[in-house]
Amino acid sequence: ALNFINPDELSMQCILIALNRFLQEKHGSKMAFLDGNPPERLCMPIVEHIESKGGQVRLNSRIKKIELNEDGSVKCFILNNGSTIKGDAFVFATPVDILKLLLPEDWKEIPYFQKLEKLVGVPVINVHIWFDRKLK
């Protein structure tokens, strides 16, 4: 997102901190900037690909419960509004603390899901402020 701020409006320190962080990563050289805004250049191509394969993307659809089949596979998601979502495969994007609360009891005994206990959620807040004119 830093790529969309005019260079005369942004301290280079911010970019240097970000670059330093990514360049220290094993695959840091694969870092790149988007050539447009993230919803249009990153999110929409993913949504279009999923939909082109017959999938569906639902936003603002809070999951109340993960209901399982007898074999432990996902039967459906029950949403807060009472509706159910059924499918062959699911991608569930949620903070780890919420996932821990929603995890079905049967899954809590599976070693793969027990690893979630080691993950700790970190509170994050973003504030975007747009002014109608330059501040002096």
Side-chain angles (χ1 to χ4, degrees):
L2 295 175
N3 198 31
F4 311 115
I5 301 172
N6 293 330
D8 58 338
E9 298 172 4
L10 175 69
S11 168
M12 195 60 194
Q13 181 181 6
C14 187
I15 292 180
L16 289 174
I17 290 170
L19 288 174
N20 184 40
R21 166 74 170 95
F22 291 114
L23 291 174
Q24 289 183 34
E25 295 291 327
K26 181 179 178 181
H27 300 290
S29 62
K30 295 181 181 180
M31 174 182 75
F33 289 104
L34 293 174
D35 61 347
N37 65 53
E40 181 182 309
R41 299 296 295 144
L42 180 65
C43 301
M44 284 312 298
I46 294 170
V47 169
E48 289 167 359
H49 177 75
I50 291 169
E51 290 176 345
S52 75
K53 303 292 183 187
Q56 188 179 59
V57 175
R58 290 183 179 227
L59 304 175
N60 301 314
S61 300
R62 189 172 176 132
I63 296 174
K64 182 177 182 179
K65 182 180 178 187
I66 302 171
E67 194 169 299
L68 302 180
N69 291 309
E70 288 184 23
D71 66 358
S73 62
V74 176
K75 179 179 181 180
C76 66
F77 286 164
I78 300 173
L79 303 183
N80 273 357
N81 66 7
S83 64
T84 59
I85 306 294
K86 294 184 178 187
D88 298 324
F90 300 91
V91 175
F92 181 7
T94 186
V96 68
D97 295 321
I98 303 295
L99 176 57
K100 288 178 185 179
L101 293 172
L102 291 172
L103 203 65
E105 289 299 320
D106 293 353
W107 286 3
K108 290 181 181 178
E109 303 304 317
I110 299 171
Y112 178 83
F113 291 110
Q114 287 176 345
K115 294 175 185 176
L116 287 173
E117 289 307 314
K118 295 179 183 175
L119 294 176
V120 178
V122 178
V124 175
I125 186 168
N126 290 308
V127 178
H128 297 263
I129 301 174
W130 298 93
F131 297 100
D132 61 348
R133 59 187 160 278
K134 278 190 167 188
L135 298 178
K136 296 180 181 181

